[in-house]
């Protein structure tokens, strides 16, 4: 059995070959087996629905989030524009009106 390379976007190991292309069933990405990324480590950030996020996207908070050191919380439905992705536990850096610079987990946002 031939071992296929994992998906370069979401790192899924469940890739398969179709019409000369490799296909990822989880994110739907298709690529040619010849266009190997050379082992580059790209990190992928997904929202609560599994949509892939990119720098500059707008997202919506899906639940009330308490803020350490503040008596207020970020309300569900708050729209955050121009996010920046970072490779850490809280993988979204952004500015929220009334709170300033924040770091959010992608599991608490959905793509707007």
């Amino acid at each position: 059995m031939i071992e296929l390379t994992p998906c370069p976007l979401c790192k899924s190991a469940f890739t398969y070959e179709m019409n000369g292309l490799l296909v990822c069933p989880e994110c739907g990405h298709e690529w040619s087996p010849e266009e190997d990324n050379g082992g580059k480590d790209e990190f992928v950030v997904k929202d609560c629905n599994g949509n892939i996020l990119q720098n500059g996207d707008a997202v919506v908070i899906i639940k009330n989030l308490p803020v350490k050191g503040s008596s207020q919380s970020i309300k569900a439905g708050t729209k955050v524009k121009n996010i920046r992705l970072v490779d850490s536990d809280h993988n979204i850096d952004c500015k929220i009106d009334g709170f300033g610079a924040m770091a959010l987990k992608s599991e608490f946002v959905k793509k707007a």
Side-chain angles (χ1 to χ4, degrees):
M1 186 168 161
I2 299 172
E3 186 173 329
L4 299 174
T5 59
C7 175
L9 291 182
C10 69
K11 305 295 185 222
S12 170
F14 302 111
T15 58
Y16 61 92
E17 188 172 359
M18 182 174 70
N19 298 330
L21 294 174
L22 294 176
V23 181
C24 176
E26 292 186 13
C27 71
H29 180 62
E30 297 180 354
W31 71 99
S32 172
E34 288 82 32
E35 63 181 58
D36 188 15
N37 64 355
K40 279 195 300 187
D41 258 350
E42 295 181 22
F43 71 98
V44 176
V45 178
K46 294 183 179 182
D47 69 356
C48 65
N49 295 326
N51 298 320
I52 296 175
L53 298 173
Q54 297 178 348
N55 286 325
D57 280 348
V59 295
V60 177
I61 309 292
I62 61 167
K63 68 178 261 184
N64 291 344
L65 298 174
V67 178
K68 283 188 178 180
S70 174
S71 60
Q72 299 177 349
S73 64
I74 301 171
K75 301 293 183 201
T78 302
K79 188 171 185 178
V80 181
K81 299 177 186 174
N82 199 18
I83 64 170
R84 188 169 49 106
L85 304 178
V86 293
D87 194 9
S88 68
D89 184 36
H90 289 72
N91 44 16
I92 297 174
D93 279 347
C94 60
K95 288 184 181 176
I96 299 177
D97 293 337
F99 289 96
M102 300 288 289
L104 300 173
K105 290 188 176 186
S106 61
E107 62 199 50
F108 299 120
V109 300
K110 67 178 180 179
K111 197 169 187 176

